[in-house]
Amino acid sequence: MKRTAKRGVILVTIGLLGWVLFPRSAPLASAPAPAFKRALPPDLGAPVPPPLAESERLDNPEPLSDRDLEAAAQLQLGQLDRIRKIPGAAPLLDEVIAALKEDDQETNSLDHIETDEHGLAEISDEAIEQMISDPALRAKWDQLMTMVAEHPEVMGEEERSGDGE
Amino acid sequence: MKLHLVIAMLCLLVSASAIGSEQAPQSAQLTSQDRVLLVTSNLTTHGMPKYRWLYRFLDSSSVFLAKKTLSGAYRKLYLLGGKNATVANFTDNIPRLAGDPKTRALDVMTHLHGSPGALWFEDNAYTTHYLKTALLRSPLKGRARLMYSTACYGKSHAQDFVDAGFQTASGSVGVNADSAFSYPATMLKWRRGSAYWSVVRTSNSRVSIWLSDRAAKLMGFDDVNSFKVIKGDTLARIWLAARAI
């Protein structure tokens, strides 16, 4: 009786091990990889909304107030002061700002970059050259942006919780 | 005997599931060739004329810094800037880039003025509800991954982008005044492969928020709040495929 029970346990164990180690391998060998949540295909079945009427486009958004624009600009100016604190950045920033103020053209600097028929430009060395045509000024921009991108002091602390909602 | 068998089975089960979980994410991991970035930038058009030089600095910086920090991390970095930053180009190009069979994740970084519930393009202001409706015409889910925005009131826009099919979106609670700091900080940490909640945590630095709040109070502004919040999936990472949520 004991021996039969032991045999039963061994057989069940072997069966379970086979189930664990070779799960549905034969019939699904050529099937796609098991569905994993992060690899789900795009949701092609999303409902398509009806076309928007022209009148629906604006939906009366609140206009930008001068007060908000002034606040944002003033605070961005304060941020420039933080860039100025990076060792070596202050003179470069001053020269870049002076050039921008001197060349107070109506057009956006980004309008000088060539685009394709969709209005897209590839961000490349060529695009940067088109955006800032003066080589000497471009070199200063480049140096300044390298400092901003790499200098750890500009990155601030990493303690404040901002886990979102 | 029984106990040994049970222990052995448990060990095998754990090993099998460990092997499985190691293999599954591999299929979702991306290389730079699978990713495309779109930078949308136009602060100059609707900025105050007296600060045109500042907004031109910020517009040009958005391009420079994207190249400095993310070049090599994406197959291509695209710009929709200046006069081309229209709503039609925005809503046409996002699905077009996301629909490229070679692209498994499209990330968008937006530098536009914002007001509660709306973004200001070259041509006009559009509610993000309108953008959502326009973007919903194309299947973005599982292709469009990150919508990062430096716009004021970006929090009020983020959910519409998630509803439009983006995996995750973030924005500031009120007037945003720390992009000079938070934009490069975000890009650097994103490039390093951190989860998006951690990226945003970095950009919500204590120093930056404190400086912004203090400066705002000194100037008598009460709508300034550069603190960023996330809508959608906080676990997105640059090396993971876009996920439909």
Side-chain angles (χ1 to χ4, degrees):
Chain A
M1 185 66 186
K2 243 185 176 180
R3 185 178 290 177
T4 310
K6 272 185 182 174
R7 279 178 185 166
V9 168
I10 289 166
L11 282 172
V12 168
T13 306
I14 289 169
L16 283 170
L17 284 175
W19 179 70
V20 168
L21 292 175
F22 309 103
R24 297 169 292 174
S25 55
L28 290 178
S30 59
F36 181 69
K37 217 178 176 189
R38 285 199 174 274
L40 284 175
D43 181 7
L44 298 174
V48 178
L52 285 177
E54 195 69 27
S55 59
E56 289 177 287
R57 293 192 168 188
L58 287 175
D59 204 17
N60 299 320
E62 283 186 35
L64 291 172
S65 71
D66 281 355
R67 185 172 159 277
D68 278 355
L69 283 171
E70 182 70 36
Q74 287 295 333
L75 291 164
Q76 292 287 4
L77 290 171
Q79 290 291 312
L80 295 190
D81 285 338
R82 292 191 67 196
I83 294 174
R84 202 166 265 121
K85 287 176 185 168
I86 302 171
L92 289 168
L93 182 63
D94 288 339
E95 287 188 62
V96 165
I97 288 173
L100 284 168
K101 283 182 173 173
E102 194 178 318
D103 176 32
D104 194 18
Q105 54 186 302
E106 291 293 319
T107 56
N108 190 319
S109 309
L110 305 188
D111 289 344
H112 302 150
I113 303 173
E114 284 175 23
T115 64
D116 64 12
E117 69 272 26
H118 304 287
L120 290 178
E122 193 175 332
I123 298 178
S124 60
D125 289 335
E126 278 182 5
I128 302 282
E129 283 172 23
Q130 290 161 3
M131 184 170 74
I132 300 160
S133 54
D134 178 353
L137 182 61
R138 189 168 62 245
K140 284 168 190 164
W141 263 98
D142 191 74
Q143 214 181 333
L144 179 65
M145 290 295 115
T146 303
M147 289 177 176
V148 171
E150 292 177 355
H151 213 284
E153 279 85 344
V154 182
M155 300 299 116
E157 295 180 357
E158 297 191 9
E159 295 170 14
R160 176 69 174 259
S161 170
D163 296 359
E165 56 177 43
Chain B
M1 173 71 176
K2 261 187 190 176
L3 187 64
H4 287 160
L5 278 171
V6 168
I7 290 168
M9 276 175 62
L10 283 173
C11 289
L12 281 166
L13 277 168
V14 168
S15 306
S17 63
I19 290 165
S21 63
E22 284 285 319
Q23 284 171 347
Q26 291 282 340
S27 64
Q29 284 193 14
L30 306 183
T31 69
S32 62
Q33 292 305 303
D34 300 317
R35 305 185 283 253
V36 163
L37 177 76
L38 174 64
V39 176
T40 305
S41 187
N42 186 341
L43 294 168
T44 307
T45 300
H46 298 289
M48 297 177 101
K50 68 175 176 177
Y51 294 121
R52 182 176 287 120
W53 67 269
L54 171 65
Y55 290 119
R56 285 177 62 208
F57 175 82
L58 294 172
D59 278 343
S60 299
S61 295
S62 70
V63 178
F64 248 120
L65 287 172
K67 185 167 184 303
K68 288 271 173 210
T69 55
L70 293 176
S71 186
Y74 289 85
R75 187 174 74 249
K76 291 223 170 172
L77 308 178
Y78 288 106
L79 168 69
L80 195 57
K83 66 183 180 202
N84 292 300
T86 62
V87 77
N89 280 341
F90 186 76
T91 53
D92 289 348
N93 277 306
I94 286 176
R96 208 172 58 76
L97 294 175
D100 184 334
K102 289 180 291 197
T103 300
R104 293 179 66 196
L106 168 70
D107 297 331
V108 180
M109 300 208 162
T110 302
H111 307 272
L112 298 170
H113 288 292
S115 50
L119 282 170
W120 293 72
F121 291 85
E122 164 73 7
D123 46 338
N124 212 333
Y126 289 83
T127 62
T128 45
H129 178 261
Y130 168 76
L131 299 176
K132 176 182 79 175
T133 312
L135 289 171
L136 272 173
R137 293 171 203 291
S138 309
L140 291 182
K141 283 190 176 182
R143 292 176 181 274
R145 186 173 55 187
L146 168 67
M147 172 61 77
Y148 169 81
S149 173
T150 61
C152 298
Y153 304 102
K155 180 191 171 189
S156 71
H157 315 141
Q159 188 61 51
D160 279 329
F161 285 115
V162 171
D163 292 344
F166 277 85
Q167 183 180 343
T168 187
S170 66
S172 67
V173 173
V175 169
N176 184 34
D178 74 341
S179 58
F181 155 76
S182 63
Y183 178 49
T186 295
M187 288 189 295
L188 282 174
K189 191 139 189 186
W190 176 247
R191 180 180 181 138
R192 285 180 197 139
S194 300
Y196 197 55
W197 68 265
S198 176
V199 173
V200 171
R201 177 183 159 134
T202 300
S203 73
N204 280 334
S205 111
R206 180 182 292 172
V207 168
S208 176
I209 298 290
W210 181 81
L211 282 172
S212 297
D213 288 354
R214 184 165 171 270
K217 279 178 188 169
L218 286 172
M219 285 187 281
F221 297 116
D222 53 7
D223 292 347
V224 179
N225 191 342
S226 304
F227 195 84
K228 312 293 186 302
V229 296
I230 304 172
K231 302 287 184 180
D233 185 5
T234 60
L235 297 175
R237 293 174 190 264
I238 194 170
W239 49 270
L240 284 174
R243 185 168 76 90
I245 59 167

